[in-house]
Amino acid sequence: MAQPRVLVVGGGLAGLAASMRLAELGVSVDLVSLVPVKRSHSVCAQGGINSVNALTRQQGDNEWKHFDDTVYGGDFLQHQPPVKEMADWGPRIVDLMDRLGVPFNRTPEGFRDQRRFGGTLYKRTAFAGATTGQQLLYALDEQVRRREVEGRIKKWEFWDFLAPVLDDSGRCCGAICQDLVTMQFRAFPADAVVLATGGNGLIYGRSTMSMVCTGSAVSRAYQAGAWYGNGEFIQVHPTAIPGADKLRLMSESARGEGGRVWVPRKPQDPRDPREIPEAERCYFLEERYPKYGNLVPRDIATREIFDICTTDGLSVEKDRLCVYLDLTHIPRETLNRKLGGILEIYEKFQGVDPRSVPMKIFPAVHYSMGGLWVDYERSTSGGMVEGSPRNQQTSIPGLYAIGECDYQYHGANRLGANSLLSCIFSGLFVAPTLAAVAAGRGGAADQRLFTAGLKREEERHHALLARTAGTENPYELHQELGNLMTRVATVVRRNDQLAAAYGEVCAMEERWRRCAVSDTANWTNQNVVFTKALGDMFPVAKLILKGALLRDECRGAHFKPDFAMPGLAATDPVAKRREAEEWCDRFAENTQKWLKSTIAKCGADGSPQISYQDVDTSLIRPRPRLYGLVGAEAIEEVWKAREAAETATPVGAGA
Ligand SMILES: Cc1cc2nc3c(=O)[nH]c(=O)nc-3n(C[C@H](O)[C@H](O)[C@H](O)COP(=O)(O)OP(=O)(O)OC[C@H]3O[C@@H](n4cnc5c(N)ncnc54)[C@H](O)[C@@H]3O)c2cc1C
């Protein structure tokens, strides 16, 4: 009988974790990656990885609270069993990475040091300086190399996943990939295929993400029939360093170590920020959210920064929107030890030492909560059934998705430092599933399917190479797409703009068909690879826009002012109570109508067909997401009273 074989596409944290575990389970792995796996985008992750730990347990923390923070942070849009399972695995994952040699920062006593990240009141984030992603990635890479030497894993670096191969029953039985050096095509038959291909920030042009994060592999799977979930939920990180070429992240860890966000109370105060006295500074996050302060979740911090600059006119500079992120009150030695990596990035690209001068930052596109829809099997204890063939499976049988490219764990807003956890967790957790599926398969797939798949991709490729007389430049078209998406589908969304943008993206997609490639050589041709990836950005851009257009509410990162639920205006206690009751009524109605996952299916004409799926909120009941906003106490009071009344009502009682 043939050895079970799995194709893992993507060698970031999710792909490496899955490959390592599969090899341990005796499954042979082909590991395909666009870039050397050690250059996968995960290497850029800075701030840390979340899990409950000994320190937070002493303060009353536990896995359930981590789970609760994650679903509250995600505005309840994620199915709860997978999130619960992930939070339960957190401590084991950080211990595992520690054992694999990740140099986590230590306290003087030798314990793992922890910092606080957004959306929680506990110091749950383990970190390795400000280069946590790199340390985690290198540790997993070592394990994968070990299995490579044993012959269990075969790596294919500089290979592009072009399409899944489906058999006559619609089951995925392999993929077609292309060598980016020789430009040769190759079929990869497999008992199961798992995509671990990361995010798609490049659809927005400039973002904090690496330049390979085009989302091409996911788009290709979507166009082949895989459903896409919650596409409209794009995270805009509150603190990035604006740059002409790209936007560089200033990690949340800067605020986790005590960094404070402020603007001068006087618009565009020309003084050196160090000379502006405390009384003349507005620490707007601390003033509005005293409980969470600078560590409110990202969607809220981003909107507040955007608002203080655009609505209140308090941007530090007139021609370039920005606010101060201040670390200057923290000792230099502490900053170097805990944040060295990111401070060097600021210094290098801005020419200013952030240890002595407040940084200037502004929000930037950072992460995609949405991704390929994947399934799971719920266990009796409310988590997931380990090894179930449904876990992480896309709507195409035999095709799985893990890491940032699935939609499963973060709902409407991801909490900082939860992504590295979800990537490693989904990689480790999917492995027994894949091993069982692969073992149960057996028998070679029909060779004709691969021959046909190869022919189709070769023809597409050569048709593009032959297009030398086109009128469109792919790089300029990409810039146009990015500018448009950034303008209409980031912090603030309006229906008229989204509808118009959808039409414009369709027109750009048409223009893409007239793109010419300037390099026609069939050797390391980056030009043709980028042009293909650009073509695959349009279907995903369309589903983001359409999902955003149809979702008439505000939830997490998706904010439409026309459907906002502003705080209470009344000051008189009786009127305030009445307003709070009305607010809670509206919240309950909105939850009923919109607490649903958006599912996009690619129509025959390439346009997204949108439907909705109920969310499993059986473990934690959805509640208003206020984070202790000043003035919102009355809403919290009313909501808690309603919850208490419902819990007090015996089951089966009532009309
Ligand atoms: C600057 C920055 C800092 C961050 N810091 C943190 C942090 O501190 N904590 C946290 O939790 N999260 C953080 N995140 C988020 C986190 O880094 C990512 O969500 C996570 O690393 C994604 O890992 P992944 O394994 O899913 O994908 P990636 O690491 O993006 O890997 C994707 C892989 O897929 C391959 N691939 C892609 N397309 C194709 C194709 N067509 N064919 C073949 N291979 C392909 C790539 O070569 C790569 O190997 C940060 C994000 C950014 C942008």
Side-chain angles (χ1 to χ4, degrees), residues 519-534:
D519 183 353
T520 56
N522 213 16
W523 186 261
T524 60
N525 187 334
Q526 289 296 308
N527 196 201
V528 78
V529 173
F530 176 78
T531 307
K532 276 187 207 171
L534 172 64

Side-chain angles (χ1 to χ4, degrees), residues 138-362:
Y138 284 16
L140 288 178
D141 175 67
E142 276 180 4
Q143 297 304 313
V144 165
R145 281 169 193 259
R146 178 175 144 210
R147 302 293 175 182
E148 215 179 344
V149 172
E150 288 171 3
R152 189 56 78 187
I153 296 178
K154 176 147 178 57
K155 252 198 246 145
W156 305 80
E157 293 177 322
F158 292 116
W159 280 75
D160 192 5
F161 165 90
L162 298 178
V165 175
L166 310 188
D167 68 16
D168 296 338
S169 69
R171 185 182 179 86
C172 182
C173 56
I176 305 296
C177 301
Q178 183 175 23
D179 183 341
L180 298 184
V181 178
T182 66
M183 309 310 281
Q184 297 303 298
F185 296 82
R186 183 186 168 100
F188 287 82
D191 297 307
V193 176
V194 57
L195 295 185
T197 50
N200 55 21
L202 264 267
I203 293 177
Y204 283 81
R206 290 185 309 153
S207 78
T208 62
M209 299 178 71
S210 303
M211 302 309 283
V212 291
C213 295
T214 62
S216 60
V218 163
S219 175
R220 289 162 192 167
Y222 164 71
Q223 292 171 71
W227 305 345
Y228 199 101
N230 291 339
E232 65 270 33
F233 292 93
I234 299 289
Q235 180 161 87
V236 181
H237 194 289
T239 61
I241 313 164
D245 56 341
K246 90 178 289 301
L247 308 172
R248 293 178 178 84
L249 183 71
M250 182 42 60
S251 166
E252 196 164 289
S253 52
R255 282 172 289 141
E257 294 299 341
R260 302 178 76 189
V261 175
W262 62 277
V263 287
R265 291 197 187 272
K266 181 176 152 205
Q268 290 85 56
D269 192 323
R271 284 175 290 178
D272 182 320
R274 291 167 292 188
E275 283 163 16
I276 300 178
E278 281 289 310
E280 293 175 44
R281 299 174 176 194
C282 174
Y283 292 96
F284 51 98
L285 291 174
E286 296 171 36
E287 287 174 15
R288 291 178 194 171
Y289 301 89
K291 199 166 160 191
Y292 285 80
N294 293 289
L295 288 170
V296 281
R298 291 175 177 177
D299 56 326
I300 295 178
T302 292
R303 269 195 297 281
E304 294 287 359
I305 292 173
F306 192 78
D307 223 41
I308 200 110
C309 292
T310 55
T311 313
D312 301 336
L314 290 180
S315 168
V316 168
E317 291 181 14
K318 194 167 185 340
D319 302 326
R320 190 180 66 140
L321 299 182
C322 55
V323 300
Y324 288 126
L325 170 55
D326 200 341
L327 297 171
T328 56
H329 52 287
I330 303 173
R332 287 182 84 87
E333 181 281 323
T334 310
L335 291 176
N336 287 336
R337 181 162 43 85
K338 294 190 164 177
L339 299 173
I342 53 173
L343 301 185
E344 278 165 24
I345 293 177
Y346 190 86
E347 206 166 359
K348 182 168 177 179
F349 288 95
Q350 299 296 296
V352 174
D353 181 359
R355 299 164 194 85
S356 52
V357 181
M359 293 180 273
K360 291 180 187 170
I361 53 90
F362 197 67

Side-chain angles (χ1 to χ4, degrees), residues 9-14 32-35 40-42 44-48 159-161 196-198 208-209 216-217 220 249 366-367 403-404 414 417-420 423:
V9 185
L13 287 174
V32 167
S33 172
L34 265 185
V35 291
S40 297
H41 167 74
S42 292
C44 302
Q46 304 174 342
W159 280 75
D160 192 5
F161 165 90
T197 50
T208 62
M209 299 178 71
S216 60
R220 289 162 192 167
L249 183 71
H366 180 64
Y367 183 85
E404 187 171 340
R414 169 174 74 85
N418 255 354
S419 175
L420 299 186
C423 288

Side-chain angles (χ1 to χ4, degrees), residues 596-614:
K596 294 185 170 29
S597 310
T598 307
I599 307 293
K601 298 174 191 169
C602 188
D605 62 351
S607 62
Q609 314 294 309
I610 303 286
S611 59
Y612 296 94
Q613 192 183 63
D614 285 339

